[in-house]
Amino acid sequence: MRSLFGKIFLWLLGTSLLPVAAFMATSSYFLPSGQAPAFLPIYLWTLLGTAVLGYLVAINLVRPLRSLRRTVEQFGRGDLTARTGSLRKDEIGGLSRAFDRMAERIETLLTAERRLLQDVSHELRSPLARLRFAVELARTDGDREEALTHIAKDVERLANLVDELLQLTRAEGDPSSQDLHVIPLNDLLRSLVADCGLEAEARHRRLALKVDGSAIVLGERELIRRAVENVLRNAIHYAPEGTTVEIVMTLVAEVATITVRDRGPGIPDEWLGQIFKPFFRVDNDRARTSGGVGLGLSIAQRAISLHQGKVEARNANPGLIVTIELPHAKGLAGRDAVLPAVGAGSFKP
Ligand SMILES: Nc1ncnc2c1ncn2[C@@H]1O[C@H](COP(=O)(O)OP(=O)(O)OP(=O)(O)O)[C@@H](O)[C@H]1O
Ligand SMILES: [Mg+2]
């Protein structure tokens, strides 16, 4: 019997035997003496059967409800992974599964909120540090105008960053809220390499960009830019002085592939799968010297997978190769329009 109704019905049927049995037992008093004992065992057995049936039904109903209550309490205490995992086919099973779905959704939303908080604080750090420096400069240095220009630039950047992170979280929750741009990847890479080139030069590393084909990606320019920038900045950071970081873009079979290769220490093979996880850093010494917190690659991965792409890393001995693959938006080359968010439904490779 699958439904709760069925069980209750069965239980009622069982208990209804009780008065029948009682009637049969009492009616024996009206029967000629000597026959009464023949009904007594029937009565007793019926009574026993009804009691057992009633107990089984009650246990069957109460046990899953108790387990559901325990799971709800566990979830309420903050264990967001608590689930009933019920396989029952009746109404209690349905209720348990509805709870599991609700818990799943709440866990996803809360995790996304926490990640947003981590990402925001991480990404705000560098512009804030520069701002502090610029304010100090404005106080002590004569050239206030220049310091103010720096401050204005960083304030602008902070505003952009907040927008971008909010956009990333919103888009993860609801892909249809994305504003889609036609992004020529070649231009994006050229401007990125020009921007990062100054930093690389200051650290005595070179950047070499090689572009093969003209790839177009449909998506959010800032997110893609940020993803590649995080990978490139890592490469510049870990590349030894005097070496070149190579950035290559190819377009093969409608897939645009960007590889960033440095000649640094690479990553121990057992950690390769971990570096895209938030806050993962290969060793703590590096953390102390580089000041990074280990969010750059996780932000990059989220941004790229949002565009139906993927990021991977492998050792090149020497150095690390990080590969970013993105679907080429064939047929949109030459267009530069910003597609409205409602067009997001067509944003599939
Ligand atoms: N090109 C690279 N060569 C060697 N190790 C790397 C390279 N790129 C990343 N890693 C390792 O992967 C870890 C995670 O990188 P990720 O960019 O996520 O964080 P981070 O650079 O430490 O900090 P940030 O959040 O400032 O980017 C790094 O701490 C580093 O140990
Ligand atoms: Mg980094």
Side-chain angles (χ1 to χ4, degrees):
M1 201 58 71
R2 284 188 168 185
S3 72
L4 193 57
F5 171 79
K7 284 170 185 138
I8 291 171
F9 180 71
L10 201 68
W11 182 75
L12 284 177
L13 199 70
T15 50
S16 69
L17 286 175
L18 187 64
V20 173
F23 170 76
M24 287 165 70
T26 48
S27 66
S28 68
Y29 288 111
F30 304 107
L31 294 172
S33 62
Q35 288 190 25
F39 286 94
L40 200 60
I42 299 175
Y43 169 72
L44 290 175
W45 278 114
T46 313
L47 200 65
L48 188 68
T50 307
V52 169
L53 196 67
Y55 175 78
L56 288 178
V57 170
I59 270 288
N60 201 4
L61 291 178
V62 167
R63 197 184 283 158
L65 284 174
R66 278 187 189 153
S67 143
L68 178 60
R69 193 191 68 195
R70 271 198 302 275
T71 313
V72 171
E73 282 172 351
Q74 195 183 343
F75 192 82
R77 280 196 299 270
D79 179 1
L80 299 182
T81 59
R83 301 287 183 275
T84 64
S86 174
L87 297 173
R88 289 175 69 107
K89 300 277 196 293
D90 59 16
E91 286 84 346
I92 297 180
L95 178 65
S96 305
R97 280 188 293 282
F99 168 80
D100 284 355
R101 283 195 297 276
M102 181 196 75
E104 196 71 48
R105 185 74 190 133
I106 291 177
E107 188 188 7
T108 310
L109 289 175
L110 283 181
T111 313
E113 291 292 310
R114 280 180 196 161
R115 266 201 324 213
L116 174 68
L117 201 64
Q118 291 162 359
D119 291 355
V120 169
S121 33
H122 171 259
E123 294 290 330
L124 293 186
R125 245 179 0 165
S126 338
L128 280 177
R130 281 200 302 268
L131 264 179
R132 195 182 294 144
F133 182 69
V135 168
E136 204 53 46
L137 212 68
R139 275 213 192 102
T140 53
D141 205 88
D143 195 353
R144 291 198 169 182
E145 206 47 51
E146 196 191 331
L148 283 175
T149 312
H150 281 302
I151 290 173
K153 226 170 145 183
D154 272 324
V155 166
E156 175 80 5
R157 189 164 165 70
L158 283 172
N160 287 344
L161 274 176
V162 172
D163 278 356
E164 177 194 321
L165 285 162
L166 287 174
Q167 186 73 37
L168 178 60
T169 313
R170 216 174 30 240
E172 276 190 331
D174 174 17
S176 65
S177 70
Q178 285 181 305
D179 278 335
L180 304 180
H181 299 243
V182 174
I183 311 163
L185 223 43
N186 310 17
D187 295 350
L188 185 143
L189 286 179
R190 277 191 199 104
S191 98
L192 190 59
V193 167
D195 284 355
C196 292
L198 295 175
E199 183 189 332
E201 217 170 279
R203 306 174 114 243
H204 309 290
R205 280 91 167 157
R206 284 179 302 278
L207 299 185
L209 172 67
K210 191 169 159 238
V211 172
D212 187 5
S214 30
I216 301 292
V217 171
L218 192 57
E220 296 225 22
R221 200 188 312 268
E222 264 311 305
L223 290 186
I224 303 267
R225 187 187 159 91
R226 189 128 207 92
V228 184
E229 185 179 345
N230 278 339
V231 172
L232 187 53
R233 284 193 185 282
N234 280 350
I236 296 171
H237 184 84
Y238 292 103
E241 219 170 281
T243 60
T244 301
V245 172
E246 294 156 22
I247 305 107
V248 179
M249 200 220 70
T250 54
L251 177 59
V252 179
E254 308 309 329
V255 176
T257 306
I258 304 166
T259 56
V260 177
R261 191 219 164 141
D262 61 70
R263 310 267 160 182
I267 291 170
D269 285 339
E270 66 268 30
W271 301 123
L272 275 175
Q274 309 282 317
I275 55 171
F276 295 100
K277 290 188 178 155
F279 298 109
F280 181 85
R281 310 202 73 242
V282 167
D283 66 53
N284 293 329
D285 283 346
R286 287 191 196 173
R288 268 179 243 125
T289 53
S290 77
V293 289
L295 273 177
L297 286 180
S298 81
I299 291 176
Q301 192 183 45
R302 286 163 62 193
I304 294 297
S305 56
L306 213 82
H307 291 81
Q308 282 81 43
K310 59 178 185 188
V311 197
E312 279 167 3
R314 65 177 197 276
N315 283 310
N317 304 316
L320 190 76
I321 297 185
V322 179
T323 309
I324 300 175
E325 285 182 8
L326 285 162
H328 169 56
K330 200 176 159 191
L332 289 176
R335 285 183 58 178
D336 196 23
V338 176
L339 302 181
V342 284
S346 59
F347 177 34
K348 292 270 179 298

